Amino acid sequence: MKLRIVVIAPENPAEWTAGLQTAMPEAEIINHAAQPGYDPAGIRYAVVWRPPAGVLAALPDLQAVCNLGAGVDAVLADPAFPAHIPVIRLIDPAMTRDMSAYVSYWVTHFFRGFESFRTAQAEGVWRPHDYGGPEDWTVGFLGLGEMGGRCAADLRRFGFTNITAWTRTPKQIEGVQSFAGDEGLEPFLRTARIAVCLLPLTPETRGILNARTLAMLPPGAFVINCGRGGQVVTADLLAAAESGHIAGAVLDVTDPEPLPPGHPAWGCKNVFITPHVSALNYPHTSVPVIAESVRAWEAGAKPAGLVDRSRAY
Ligand code: OXD
């Protein structure tokens, strides 16, 4: 019997199915959306993005879930999803590269004060300003996984010599000052002129950026959130941005998401919203990674990105 894999993807399921079929001719790839009534027996893998609750629990022979993204919170949020099924998050080098470019763009935007040129242009005024050096700016990462590590390394190439990171347990990465655990959060926040959130969403990280912790950032700090919307208490961020304590923020992820029309965040002039596009995944780069994970699991090996379900990332 052929290896059976189901694709449960809300966007472009046909493209993902076709891509996987080409990469894995040895398998039967089923498109959940287009093949209603397919036989769930013998399906060993589900390739998913935000699967509807209960769908995975209906696959009796499921061996592992391959998530079409780095954050697996939506899979783990399904109360019916069996606790023993392994989940593999996507580590796509193209997404890691794109995230780093996105973060570098916004760090540059904020530290060079590019916004003021927009204002000057609207006034028709030639108004250069000094911006100091990147070494004067401490960029602090909340979360230092695959993506955070790449962002930190790339920023160092642009001269950001003061890079810090806050993680659950201490991490040693060249050129990055590590802070960890509950006791490390305040000293980490106190120095971060630009705080970049790349954390997974877990019960511990939900609401981690709130009125109390935002107040620990230096006055005039900037916040970039590319983790999950639930990590920022939006009302608290908007209040801090309106008071000027937070000089600017960019939210690529929001709570709720998508941000509904009329939400106050749309109108906050120093908060930029991008619609969850910091690092998109495309079949031509992600499918080979997924195929490798499935083949590794079939061969009894541990694929990169295997989630520790006790930590939820
Ligand atoms: C991801 C995402 O989890 O794009 O990779 O949000």
Side-chain angles (χ1 to χ4, degrees), residues 49-50 67-73 90 95 99 147 226-228 252-253 257 276 278-281:
W49 181 243
R50 296 184 176 157
N67 192 50
L68 284 172
V72 296
D73 45 295
L90 182 63
M95 291 173 75
M99 179 61 81
M147 288 187 174
C226 301
R228 285 288 182 263
D252 185 52
V253 284
E257 187 173 313
H276 205 143
S278 50
L280 296 177
N281 61 356

Side-chain angles (χ1 to χ4, degrees), residues 167-190:
T167 48
R168 199 178 61 98
T169 51
K171 280 214 170 171
Q172 298 316 323
I173 291 204
E174 200 203 329
V176 178
Q177 189 187 354
S178 167
F179 295 84
D182 289 347
E183 64 291 351
L185 186 59
E186 179 164 357
F188 162 81
L189 290 170
R190 291 274 172 220

Side-chain angles (χ1 to χ4, degrees), residues 116-288:
S116 73
F117 300 130
R118 203 68 197 150
T119 316
Q121 182 175 345
E123 293 165 25
V125 178
W126 188 268
R127 194 163 53 216
H129 62 242
D130 289 338
Y131 51 83
E135 61 283 355
D136 299 330
W137 286 70
T138 298
V139 181
F141 286 89
L142 290 132
L144 197 67
E146 207 71 36
M147 288 187 174
R150 168 72 186 262
C151 294
D154 287 348
L155 283 175
R156 269 164 56 81
R157 282 189 206 106
F158 289 128
F160 288 88
T161 46
N162 289 314
I163 298 201
T164 61
W166 178 81
T167 48
R168 199 178 61 98
T169 51
K171 280 214 170 171
Q172 298 316 323
I173 291 204
E174 200 203 329
V176 178
Q177 189 187 354
S178 167
F179 295 84
D182 289 347
E183 64 291 351
L185 186 59
E186 179 164 357
F188 162 81
L189 290 170
R190 291 274 172 220
T191 63
R193 282 183 80 182
I194 301 180
V196 183
C197 179
L198 285 166
L199 288 166
L201 185 63
T202 67
E204 291 75 35
T205 66
R206 186 173 287 283
I208 193 166
L209 291 175
N210 52 47
R212 188 179 66 84
T213 52
L214 291 167
M216 292 172 185
L217 289 167
F222 296 91
V223 172
I224 299 171
N225 189 16
C226 301
R228 285 288 182 263
Q231 284 144 0
V232 173
V233 178
T234 314
D236 293 356
L237 177 74
L238 297 183
E242 250 137 44
S243 76
H245 177 69
I246 297 299
V250 55
L251 303 178
D252 185 52
V253 284
T254 60
D255 182 22
E257 187 173 313
L259 201 62
H263 190 284
W266 289 118
C268 190
K269 75 172 177 5
N270 47 351
V271 173
F272 297 81
I273 314 279
T274 59
H276 205 143
V277 291
S278 50
L280 296 177
N281 61 356
Y282 293 102
H284 70 283
T285 60
S286 297
V287 158

